[in-house]
Amino acid sequence: MTKMSQKSERRGIRVDQSELLCTKGCGYYGNPAWQGFCSKCWREEYHHVRQKQIKEDWALAERLQREEEAAYASSQGAQSQPSLTPFSKFEEKKSNEKTRKVTTVKKFFSPSSRIGSKKESHETKAPSPSISRQASIETDQVSRDFIDFLKSLHKPGREIHKQCRAFIETMATKEDHQSVEELSECVQDFYQNMSDRLLTHFKGSSERVERVMDQVEKYIMTRLYKNVFCPEITDDEKKDLAVQKRIRALHWVTIQMLCVPVDEEIPEVSDMVVKAITDIIEMDSKRVPRDKLACITKCSKDIFNAIKITRNEPASADDFLPTLIYIVLKANPPRLQSNIQYITRFCNPSRLMTGEDGYYFTNLCCAVAFIEKLDAQSLNLSPEDFERYMTGQASPRRQDPEGLSQVYQSLELLSGLGERQEMVLDGARRLESDLIDWQDGVAREVQDILDKYPLEIRPPASAIDSDNVENDRLPPPLLPQVFAG
């Protein structure tokens, strides 16, 4: 399990980057669900433990069989007598029952059988209904998209489609009598084998292999989703309810207690917080592990943007985890543990071990683990206050002196704003009165000037030559002349 440290002087939560890596030291991201191992190391560890358990189970079954065979042989010797007493008949019946028990024990410890009662109840039924039932609209669309994608690959595309269909049919026969861990191992083996083949075909082009594997994962997991997501044979649903109940009990945790560097009073920041909550809730509506991871990545990027807007500088990893915890507490995502387990079991392991998807997913697992173990010391509270808040006897919002002081400061500020507003209104009224007086004064001055200097209206001016009495002496006007030419 990833270890998280608290920074008491800052009242925050921080995780060193090395704590997110695989405990085996391979350099990939670990996962609390895998006991701190990465996908590759966990599979190796799980395979080793499983093989050891199988050997021990077989050894136990063989020892029980030898003991029961010896008991059966001794009971057969008693049957050679001419008549059987009631006690000998009881011994014979008991021996037969023990023989049947040995067969049942060996059958139970067989690596290819789990959940015996469930298998027996389905032996007389037709093949799994996941194959014979009418596919949903979403499944049909995914199948058509997968076929269209494979057409561009030509011959390899036909082989990939054939392998995927065969794998789905094989999984349908295993769903009823194998544990979810064994189903997960089958899917991971298929991913690995398919990836190795594609690397050989595409001559090491990891980008093309990744694109094809994304489509393969989408096609396979859409078809298998209803049978492998939160199956009845696991305790995923129980864990979901426990986490939901825990988050509801922590509804009183404030943003200041977690030292979250986000100011929701800023409209842009508030919008980013809402988007992050929406993204993490939307994760439950997706069927493909990669799509669920994409929701986690979008949520995380919204968180980084909210911190960046608040602080006006790029966010750090130490600021990210407390904010992610706060978002999870506010969102209380549905079936959170089931979604984490589903991604862990059936996602392409390369996405979880490296890259931003793996980083954000590992942080989400750490956030959930922190919420499950959150205590008074994590929030710098006394055990008594923590217990009263958890039981609902008190609320930190009503008894926080810092909060009350902020309220008083706000009221004082509002009172000051009211006084300033009255001053502004008085000034506006005085200005209006001054403008009216100035207008009246200007009008009076203009009228006084007009009275003192009245306007004289003269007749229009006559022609220039109207007063010339010597017009007779002027030469005659020039007349046009025509010259013959």
Side-chain angles (χ1 to χ4, degrees):
M1 183 66 68
T2 303
K3 297 179 180 178
M4 287 177 291
S5 57
Q6 285 79 28
K7 197 172 182 180
S8 58
E9 67 274 10
R10 185 173 171 266
R11 294 202 310 170
I13 304 113
R14 61 184 301 273
V15 171
D16 191 88
Q17 295 303 298
S18 61
E19 298 177 9
L20 301 178
L21 300 178
C22 176
T23 56
K24 206 169 183 178
C26 63
Y28 295 119
Y29 289 123
N31 191 324
W34 295 325
Q35 299 178 5
F37 292 104
C38 69
S39 176
K40 181 180 178 181
C41 296
W42 169 250
R43 290 188 64 204
E44 293 176 354
E45 186 73 16
Y46 173 76
H47 182 74
H48 174 73
V49 173
R50 183 169 173 244
Q51 292 299 322
K52 181 180 179 182
Q53 184 64 42
I54 290 174
K55 291 181 180 179
E56 293 177 355
D57 293 344
W58 270 101
L60 176 61
E62 290 176 354
R63 182 173 61 82
L64 291 174
Q65 184 177 17
R66 288 193 298 268
E67 293 176 356
E68 297 299 334
E69 286 176 351
Y72 180 74
S74 62
S75 65
Q76 289 295 322
Q79 289 181 1
S80 60
Q81 299 177 359
S83 60
L84 294 176
T85 64
F87 180 77
S88 62
K89 291 181 180 180
F90 172 77
E91 288 292 325
E92 179 184 1
K93 181 179 179 181
K94 184 177 180 181
S95 178
N96 293 335
E97 289 178 353
K98 288 183 178 181
T99 303
R100 287 195 300 271
K101 288 181 180 179
V102 172
T103 306
T104 304
V105 168
K106 292 189 67 176
K107 183 178 180 182
F108 176 79
F109 285 123
S110 174
S112 62
S113 63
R114 294 290 187 273
I115 318 302
S117 60
K118 188 173 182 180
K119 177 182 177 181
E120 293 173 1
S121 63
H122 287 77
E123 283 178 348
T124 58
K125 292 185 179 181
S128 176
S130 62
I131 300 298
S132 59
R133 69 174 181 268
Q134 181 68 26
S136 64
I137 296 177
E138 182 179 358
T139 303
D140 290 340
Q141 183 62 45
V142 169
S143 300
R144 287 193 294 269
D145 294 343
F146 186 58
I147 293 174
D148 293 339
F149 172 79
L150 294 179
K151 286 180 180 178
S152 61
L153 302 179
H154 305 294
K155 185 177 179 180
R158 291 192 294 271
E159 182 63 23
I160 292 172
H161 187 257
K162 179 181 177 181
Q163 293 292 332
C164 291
R165 285 185 60 86
F167 175 73
I168 292 174
E169 293 175 358
T170 302
M171 288 291 291
T173 62
K174 296 179 178 180
E175 290 170 356
D176 296 331
H177 58 267
Q178 283 196 339
S179 66
V180 68
E181 287 77 15
E182 290 172 327
L183 296 177
S184 171
E185 190 173 0
C186 291
V187 173
Q188 297 297 330
D189 287 339
F190 180 78
Y191 286 155
Q192 187 63 48
N193 294 333
M194 178 66 72
S195 179
D196 292 342
R197 293 182 183 180
L198 292 175
L199 280 173
T200 303
H201 174 75
F202 292 129
K203 299 179 181 180
S205 177
S206 57
E207 292 80 7
R208 297 186 66 183
V209 172
E210 185 177 354
R211 288 197 298 269
V212 175
M213 289 304 301
D214 287 343
Q215 295 298 322
V216 169
E217 177 188 337
K218 183 177 181 180
Y219 174 69
I220 289 176
M221 296 316 302
T222 301
R223 298 289 298 271
L224 300 177
Y225 175 79
K226 290 184 178 180
N227 300 94
V228 298
F229 180 84
C230 192
E232 295 180 357
I233 58 177
T234 65
D235 60 350
D236 292 350
E237 185 176 2
K238 182 179 178 181
K239 292 179 179 179
D240 289 334
L241 296 176
V243 171
Q244 277 199 343
K245 183 178 179 181
R246 176 70 172 174
I247 292 177
R248 289 195 190 103
L250 293 169
H251 66 90
W252 50 269
V253 176
T254 63
I255 197 170
Q256 292 81 13
M257 291 179 179
L258 296 172
C259 201
V260 176
V262 168
D263 185 3
E264 293 187 86
E265 297 297 326
I266 304 175
E268 292 178 279
V269 175
S270 179
D271 292 342
M272 287 296 172
V273 170
V274 172
K275 286 180 62 178
I277 293 173
T278 304
D279 290 334
I280 197 69
I281 292 176
E282 188 182 3
M283 174 179 61
D284 187 58
S285 65
K286 304 299 182 181
R287 290 193 171 194
V288 184
R290 179 171 60 92
D291 294 341
K292 292 182 181 292
L293 273 179
C295 292
I296 298 173
T297 301
K298 287 196 298 182
C299 169
S300 302
K301 290 184 176 180
D302 291 335
I303 290 173
F304 273 106
N305 289 333
I307 299 173
K308 181 179 179 181
I309 295 172
T310 300
R311 291 192 162 184
N312 199 22
E313 62 181 15
S316 65
D318 291 341
D319 298 327
F320 170 66
L321 183 59
T323 312
L324 178 60
I325 294 171
Y326 175 69
I327 293 297
V328 173
L329 289 175
K330 290 197 69 174
N332 197 359
R335 301 191 292 185
L336 181 57
Q337 282 289 3
S338 290
N339 282 287
I340 291 177
Q341 292 294 334
Y342 178 71
I343 295 172
T344 301
R345 293 163 181 161
F346 300 106
C347 185
N348 191 339
S350 62
R351 285 190 173 274
L352 300 183
M353 293 190 299
T354 58
E356 62 177 8
D357 288 343
Y359 173 77
Y360 294 138
F361 179 71
T362 304
N363 274 274
L364 177 62
C365 295
C366 292
V368 176
F370 177 85
I371 291 172
E372 291 176 338
K373 296 186 175 182
L374 189 143
D375 55 12
Q377 185 179 3
S378 304
L379 302 175
N380 277 1
L381 296 174
S382 65
E384 295 77 13
D385 288 342
F386 182 83
E387 184 63 25
R388 287 189 297 117
Y389 296 157
M390 289 294 291
T391 56
Q393 297 177 3
S395 172
R397 293 183 178 88
R398 290 194 296 267
Q399 296 187 0
D400 186 7
E402 181 180 354
L404 290 176
S405 63
Q406 290 181 354
V407 171
Y408 292 139
Q409 290 177 3
S410 300
L411 291 175
E412 184 178 356
L413 178 61
L414 288 174
S415 177
L417 289 175
E419 294 176 358
R420 292 180 60 186
Q421 185 179 14
E422 288 296 331
M423 294 174 60
V424 171
L425 290 175
D426 291 340
R429 284 191 288 268
R430 287 195 299 271
L431 178 60
E432 183 181 9
S433 178
D434 293 342
L435 287 174
I436 294 174
D437 294 342
W438 175 81
Q439 184 179 3
D440 294 341
V442 170
R444 286 193 300 269
E445 291 179 2
V446 171
Q447 188 62 40
D448 292 343
I449 292 174
L450 290 176
D451 294 341
K452 186 176 182 180
Y453 302 102
L455 294 177
E456 296 181 2
I457 300 176
R458 296 181 178 182
S462 59
I464 297 176
D465 299 333
S466 61
D467 297 334
N468 192 348
V469 296
E470 299 180 355
N471 284 341
D472 296 340
R473 298 180 182 180
L474 293 176
L478 296 178
L479 298 176
Q481 300 180 5
V482 179
F483 295 92

